[in-house]
Amino acid sequence: MKKTAGLTWAALRDLKCAELEGAADGWGRASNRADAARDRIDKQLLNGLRDTQQGEAADSAVARLRQLSRNFQYVYTECGLLRTTLNSLAHEMRAQQRVLTDALDDAAGLKFTVHPDGSVTYPAAGEGLIDGKPLRGGTASSGGLPGLAAPSGLVAPNPNTAKAQDIADRVVGAVRAAAEIDWRYAGILRRLKAEEGLKVPDSTWKDAAGDAAAVRDAARSYLRNGIPQDATPAERHAWWAGLTQEQREEYLAVYPDRIGNLDGIPAVVRDAANRDNLSLLIGKLEGRDDDRSVTQLAGLREIDRQLQAAPKPGEPPMFLLGISDEGNGRAIVSYGNPDCARNVSAYVPGLNTSLDREFAEGDLKRARDTAIGSRYYDSSSAAIVWLGYDAPQSPDGFGSLSVMGEDRAEQGGGAFKGFMGGLVATNENEDPHFTAIGHSYGSRTVGAATQQGDGIPGVDDIVLVGSPGVGVDRAQDLGVGEGHVFVGAAENDVVTKLPSKQQVALGAAAGPFASVVGDIADRGDDDLWFGRDPASEAFGANRFRVDDGPRLVGANGLSIDAHSQYFDPVRDSTSANNIALIAAGRSEKVKAEEHR
């Protein structure tokens, strides 16, 4: 056997993997120190400075502290990657050592000799077919194709031949695999180095994103395969609880994207993972000029800006429960810790929502307003905005009904159901109160979630606002009881008055007689695009009072603002307050409205 990159079986046998793991522990300690320093800056120094100082000097100090925090975050990330790289290297090398050791033990038991080049000498054995004498011994060498040592003719084979060949093949295979592992990890370790200087610009985070991807690819057998992707949220919660602190730290350093978006993992852990992944995503998208990347980068930067800002008086802290550039982007933000809160609401946005600046400013504000409102009635409340699916995108607003199909609601409903199951698994209260809120197409997504399996885990109340229908014709079909389904429909919200698909089809065929045909198709005028109007008496939900909203056609032209102000305590305080009451578990105080 030729030596592979200078590695011999003796060198592999004598490799001290514990020393690699010891070095990994050292990098782990450095990573933890950087994380502790970052935490102290964010939670003590920055907050203290903001609370006690004002002016240009204070603003400058805050900016420098933020940069220092970002630097420590980078150190934490890179040192954590180094630790996992060394541990993964030791893990893979130890596996090849076991293969080699087993082969050497087999050789010793058979009294075979394994030579430095990997060939194996074996003694005489067996009986010749003609003279009955033992057959000569020999030496087996591996050519890299195991199992090709079959004799022919009338000569009986030496029974040791095949055994020696198998041992030689295993020895060579272990050394070659170890040499490939060594070469692969050497490349990864060479790229894990930082630029000189104290500043960590976005370009450095771009390199860090590449570093993380390389380590993730290498560490799949060491870490990734252990992540319970196909398990239930409760099983994932138990898996995380059963890990050692070192294992948790490694998963957070190498797989912040997976851990941060895994339903069933505690909120504080998801938040920490997603904040790190947010920096990696910003670095990944930085410099790209395609529309999707530019749009998502703007959304990510705005979310990052809000996370870095101190909460205003009366505002609950932010928790980043999900972030990804998948599809049109994913983002899940909670105001208040949903694991500690007794009341937890989750709002699903609808048509034309994607990870962009508008989402980061508008949809996050809706959740924040709901959190502030519900905490007024019960301080143990948290509110979430859940963009965990690809909502339909229509370039002309609501003018193209063709985009509003069922598929994305069905897919999103399954994801939302899993997310809510995760909240149930991690919430620490004995009997928490969960509310699912669907706006626009998001109400159809919530409706789809209720029809899958046993419905939405843990949900006590459902709120539907600006709904084009939810896919069922009766409130009682949503699985929480019709007394726990609440609907807000503004008089001037065109989406709550969309024609049914049947009306649209018949209207197109009828031409100038469309309105007459429409009346025939829906005599009760209570069918919408996705089924019966949730605000109708036939649907059977509790309709609550909301402001009429601006007219579709007003002095300033066309406006669909009536569709977007349900959560706004300024533009529609009645609706926002009713939603807050339901989210806080005080639905008996909701102001009712007559059905359509």
Side-chain angles (χ1 to χ4, degrees):
M1 180 194 80
K2 294 182 179 180
K3 294 181 181 179
T4 307
L7 185 65
T8 65
W9 65 259
L12 175 59
R13 178 196 60 193
D14 298 336
L15 177 66
K16 294 179 173 57
C17 291
E19 292 183 357
L20 291 173
E21 293 168 333
D25 290 341
W27 287 109
R29 288 190 292 271
S31 179
N32 291 339
R33 286 196 293 270
D35 190 39
R38 176 185 60 168
D39 192 64
R40 182 169 181 267
I41 290 171
D42 292 345
K43 295 183 179 178
Q44 297 180 31
L45 298 181
L46 276 173
N47 288 340
L49 190 60
R50 292 190 188 102
D51 294 340
T52 61
Q53 304 295 322
Q54 292 182 342
E56 292 184 8
D59 292 342
S60 177
V62 166
R64 289 179 177 273
L65 283 173
R66 282 179 176 168
Q67 181 61 56
L68 184 58
S69 173
R70 188 171 173 82
N71 291 354
F72 276 124
Q73 182 182 6
Y74 176 74
V75 173
Y76 159 78
T77 298
E78 290 291 299
C79 289
L81 293 176
L82 277 165
R83 171 175 60 181
T84 298
T85 299
L86 292 172
N87 275 334
S88 185
L89 171 60
H91 172 77
E92 292 195 38
M93 283 296 198
R94 187 173 276 117
Q96 298 308 317
Q97 279 185 322
R98 286 195 292 269
V99 174
L100 174 65
T101 300
D102 289 344
L104 295 177
D105 288 346
D106 288 345
L110 293 167
K111 295 184 169 36
F112 293 176
T113 301
V114 181
H115 300 286
D117 66 353
S119 60
V120 178
T121 298
Y122 55 92
E127 294 182 355
L129 294 178
I130 298 175
D131 56 13
K133 294 181 179 180
L135 297 171
R136 289 187 304 171
T139 299
S141 298
S142 177
L145 297 174
L148 299 181
S152 59
L154 298 176
V155 179
N158 184 328
N160 288 328
T161 301
K163 297 175 183 177
Q165 187 64 55
D166 173 67
I167 291 171
D169 289 338
R170 284 190 282 158
V171 169
V172 170
V175 173
R176 287 182 173 173
E180 188 278 331
I181 293 167
D182 178 64
W183 175 84
R184 177 158 43 89
Y185 279 93
I188 295 172
L189 290 168
R190 276 194 295 269
R191 68 179 292 172
L192 289 174
K193 61 181 181 179
E195 298 290 336
E196 294 184 2
L198 297 176
K199 189 174 182 180
V200 181
D202 288 333
S203 59
T204 304
W205 277 108
K206 183 177 182 179
D207 291 339
D211 294 342
V215 175
R216 281 195 293 264
D217 184 64
R220 65 182 65 182
S221 64
Y222 172 60
L223 286 179
R224 191 182 73 182
N225 293 346
I227 300 175
Q229 293 285 356
D230 297 329
T232 66
E235 290 169 340
R236 293 169 181 163
H237 185 62
W239 167 77
W240 184 260
L243 296 178
T244 66
Q245 183 60 29
E246 181 179 354
Q247 289 172 323
R248 292 177 184 175
E249 290 168 359
E250 287 201 76
Y251 274 115
L252 287 173
V254 181
Y255 290 105
D257 56 333
R258 291 179 179 267
I259 300 302
N261 292 288
L262 198 63
D263 298 326
I265 301 299
V268 292
V269 177
R270 293 181 70 161
D271 178 63
N274 284 316
R275 287 177 187 245
D276 291 334
N277 191 40
L278 177 61
S279 294
L280 294 174
L281 285 173
I282 290 174
K284 174 184 174 182
L285 298 180
E286 179 68 28
R288 296 185 180 180
D289 58 3
D290 60 284
D291 291 343
R292 175 175 172 273
S293 296
V294 171
T295 297
Q296 290 190 358
L297 183 60
L300 292 171
R301 287 195 181 282
E302 175 58 22
I303 292 174
D304 184 53
R305 185 196 67 77
Q306 293 183 38
L307 287 169
Q308 299 301 325
K312 296 178 181 179
E315 287 189 2
M318 290 175 66
F319 289 80
L320 188 58
L321 303 183
I323 197 74
S324 169
D325 62 345
E326 176 188 354
N328 292 327
R330 305 283 188 269
I332 308 170
V333 178
S334 178
Y335 290 89
N337 187 337
D339 292 350
C340 301
R342 184 167 49 250
N343 302 291
V344 182
S345 64
Y347 144 61
V348 182
L351 184 68
N352 285 336
T353 308
S354 63
L355 178 55
D356 55 17
R357 190 177 185 88
E358 182 180 355
F359 165 83
E361 292 177 340
D363 290 277
L364 264 65
K365 180 181 182 300
R366 291 175 179 177
R368 183 170 63 249
D369 287 340
T370 300
I372 294 171
S374 58
R375 286 163 74 93
Y376 176 81
Y377 296 105
D378 189 333
S379 60
S380 183
S381 298
I384 300 167
V385 53
W386 182 87
L387 181 60
Y389 78 122
D390 280 333
Q393 304 294 305
S394 174
D396 55 349
F398 300 101
S400 177
L401 298 180
S402 61
V403 303
M404 295 177 62
E406 309 274 356
D407 292 346
R408 296 197 178 187
E410 295 294 333
Q411 295 170 7
F416 182 65
K417 179 182 174 183
F419 173 74
M420 295 303 294
L423 294 183
V424 171
T426 58
N427 192 278
E428 300 168 359
N429 290 277
E430 184 175 345
D431 186 23
H433 170 253
F434 291 104
T435 303
I437 305 173
H439 174 243
S440 187
Y441 187 87
S443 67
R444 176 66 186 92
T445 303
V446 169
T450 68
Q451 303 305 298
Q452 300 180 21
D454 296 327
I456 309 176
V459 167
D460 302 284
D461 293 310
I462 292 176
V463 178
L464 310 169
V465 288
S467 176
V470 295
V472 299
D473 289 334
R474 299 177 302 172
Q476 65 187 51
D477 294 334
L478 295 176
V480 294
E482 62 182 21
H484 293 274
V485 179
F486 301 86
V487 177
E491 181 62 26
N492 294 321
D493 182 354
V494 63
V495 176
T496 69
K497 295 184 177 181
L498 289 175
S500 67
K501 295 178 182 178
Q502 184 182 16
Q503 284 177 293
V504 171
L506 291 175
F513 302 102
S515 60
V516 176
V517 174
D519 289 339
I520 296 174
D522 183 13
R523 292 184 180 276
D525 196 26
D526 58 9
D527 284 339
L528 298 181
W529 190 255
F530 292 120
R532 183 159 291 162
D533 180 2
S536 68
E537 184 175 5
F539 189 80
N542 302 294
R543 187 183 182 191
F544 59 84
R545 194 175 303 171
V546 304
D547 189 71
D548 287 347
R551 293 180 178 275
L552 179 63
V553 181
N556 296 321
L558 289 174
S559 170
I560 58 170
D561 287 351
H563 183 63
S564 60
Q565 62 185 36
Y566 293 99
F567 300 86
D568 196 312
V570 175
R571 294 192 296 166
D572 192 345
S573 60
T574 301
S575 176
N577 189 60
N578 282 329
I579 293 173
L581 282 166
I582 299 166
R586 305 292 176 84
S587 60
E588 72 279 0
K589 296 185 177 182
V590 165
K591 294 181 179 179
E593 178 67 273
E594 291 184 4
H595 294 104
R596 285 178 173 171

